[in-house]
Amino acid sequence: MTDPAIETLLAEERRYPPPEEFSEQANAKADIYDIPFEEFWEREGRERVTWFEPFSSLLEWELPYAKWYLGGKINVAYNCLDRHVEAGLGERVAYYFEGEPVGERAPITYSQLLEEVVKSANGLKALGVGKGTPVGIYMGMGPGLPVAMLACARLGAPHTVVFGGFSAEALADRLNDMRCEILLTQDEGWRRGQTVPLKKNADEALESCPGVRKVVVGQRTRAEVPMTKGRDISWSELVEGQSSDAASCPCEPMDSEDLLYLLYTSGTTAKPKGIAHTTAGYLVGAATTHHYVFDLKPDTDVFWCAADIGWVTGHSYIVYGPLCNGATSVLYEGTPDFPDKDRWWDIVERYGVTILYTAPTAIRAHMKWGPEHAEQHDLSSLRLLGTVGEPINPEAWIWYREHIGADRLPVVDTWWQTETGMIMLTPLPGVTTAKPGAATKPFPGVEAAVVDDRGQEVGPGGGGYLVLKRPWPAMTRGIFGDDERFRATYWERFPGMYFAGDGARVDEDGDFWLLGRVDDVMNVSGHRISTIEVESALVDHPSVAEAAVCGRADSLTGQAIVAFVTLKGSEEASVEMLDVLRNHVAVKIGPIAKPANIVFTPELPKTRSGKIMRRLLRDVAEERPLGDTTTLADPTVVAEIADRAVAQPAEE
Ligand code: PRX
């Protein structure tokens, strides 16, 4: 065996086989893994979606570009709305919309959603939007956002959704890169009791977007916002007098490979990449994974993906996957702690949520606040829990299962990316024995491996680079307008394989454990140590809610580990605690991983989607000026951490 590219130190022995009652009723049984890859995607392509014209060939693969379901004609909005209403399911709730201001609730059925989409699509048509017109969407988490996306899909107009928390500058970059002609936005949004000035930001952005000729402004808070004559029109004006009859605005028959949307991943330093997703493969991938991974029973489940639609998680598992499957979802506008820290659990109880999908960062926030908030509510409707977005520390996984999942629900840790479009590594809840911290197995039809620097597969237990070895339907069709960057970023490091940029290891059972971004790996005395393992060892201590580690230069060991630690609610930071935590890491995973410094901090710097920004922590640890902080959720956090870090001596 070759030297592992990343060492693995943490041994997690806990195992959770699926409960028998769950397995018996599960959508996926163990034999799903036996279906040959092409047969699997052929079947899903034929059965899970409705075609205007069936596809004639499954796959064309010319690395790095795949084409799926060629020759077919299909429309995403038709699959998400019309066909359900035609099948008599119009009265089913598509979204339970819960506004952030307490008491603002509005269930919206499939029929109502279809009517809204048709009216808006007719209005957009009147503005000259048609097949191929690029449309930007900059809205908050209300029903208007899926309506906007689906109206575009109905007309065949590709969209890019820009997260409502992004600045004017970020919005302008994206609108210009995609050459958007139309912007759909709203007056303001709500966030933690404050308003977010969406239209104001949009106006600022549009000063440098000459290509945008019309702006449609939805009304959420009904604040007075300036309207530019000739350019801006309110949503109510847009839809006034427009027919809501589906026949008045037939769904554009799209080729399978027509562009559905771009979603920009905010590169931490470089220009954002417009990740392209096309129509049929993306829809089949999102809907198929949604059906099997979340075991969706559309007539009884209430599904809640608590992400923002501005991220790919929301595209695939709030909008396209669930609606294609005829699911009932919760759509929540606000933050988990407004007005109180039990807001989520109130929502679960109120709507009888059965499946909850969230991120480790949210779970760790709830851990920090304490389980008493969940305990005030009846969570017995829940039957399945999921996570996505970062490696999950085993203790956070266990906390989630125990305090939210009554210590009995399956937890699915799903690994994927904006670029993959759909869940790629995941347990199947009725089949897989779960392990806290492991994303376990490739989804049926997906082939993944862990390789070393030379692209050779690393044996069981060894850490290395996660790669994907064959195409999948929802895979990105490239970076918009930048073929070279697409090849260089994902396809050149290991010829013939997609390089995800993540470290991982495979254990003796063939289960995958994610080790974080490879750029974050630390090198201590020649040992390549992943951040997640040291962080998980820290979070394993009962006083710790959250931890982030990074390497700083050290003359003796190459790099030394610096840990940033957030303690649980009532715990006090102290010199004794420093020693306790250092020793805890030494016992848990070995003295080599003992942090040289520990900095206690009430918050960690995170991106707006909740990922810890270790790059900035490295700047702090190295006492360098801070790099780009514009993608931080709260830029003040890092300055405070820097002050604390300076005050903290290193271990001898
Ligand atoms: O590093 C991995 C991490 O999130 C990255 C993808 O981020 P993004 O494109 O924003 O999409 C997030 C939602 C799909 C991955 O390269 N990541 C995502 N899920 C997991 C994860 N890391 C470990 N375990 C996961 N379950």
Side-chain angles (χ1 to χ4, degrees), residues 296-316:
L296 183 85
K297 307 289 191 284
D299 30 1
T300 47
D301 275 320
V302 177
F303 178 75
W304 184 17
C305 167
D308 194 288
I309 292 176
W311 313 124
V312 74
T313 309
H315 280 59
S316 296

Side-chain angles (χ1 to χ4, degrees), residues 265 312-313 387-392 413-419 439 500 502 514 516-517 609 611:
T265 58
V312 74
T313 309
T387 80
V388 60
E390 282 186 295
I392 185 161
D413 171 8
T414 65
W415 176 89
W416 58 297
Q417 307 177 299
T418 306
E419 294 85 340
D502 284 318
L514 272 297
R517 302 296 294 168
S609 65
K611 293 188 208 291

Side-chain angles (χ1 to χ4, degrees), residues 257-296:
E257 283 299 330
D258 279 333
L259 186 63
L260 177 63
Y261 68 80
L262 297 183
L263 187 58
Y264 286 83
T265 58
S266 38
T268 41
T269 44
K271 178 171 170 266
K273 303 183 281 236
I275 301 298
H277 284 292
T278 56
T279 302
Y282 171 76
L283 187 66
V284 173
T288 302
T289 46
H290 183 250
H291 174 80
Y292 292 117
V293 175
F294 299 112
D295 191 52
L296 183 85

Side-chain angles (χ1 to χ4, degrees), residues 148 169 210 291 318 371 382 425 428 512 533 536 548 565 568 579 597 634 645:
E169 197 185 325
H291 174 80
I318 298 179
L382 287 168
L425 299 176
L428 290 177
F512 287 70
E533 295 199 323
S536 292
V565 170
K568 282 189 185 153
D579 285 337
N597 315 67
D634 179 358

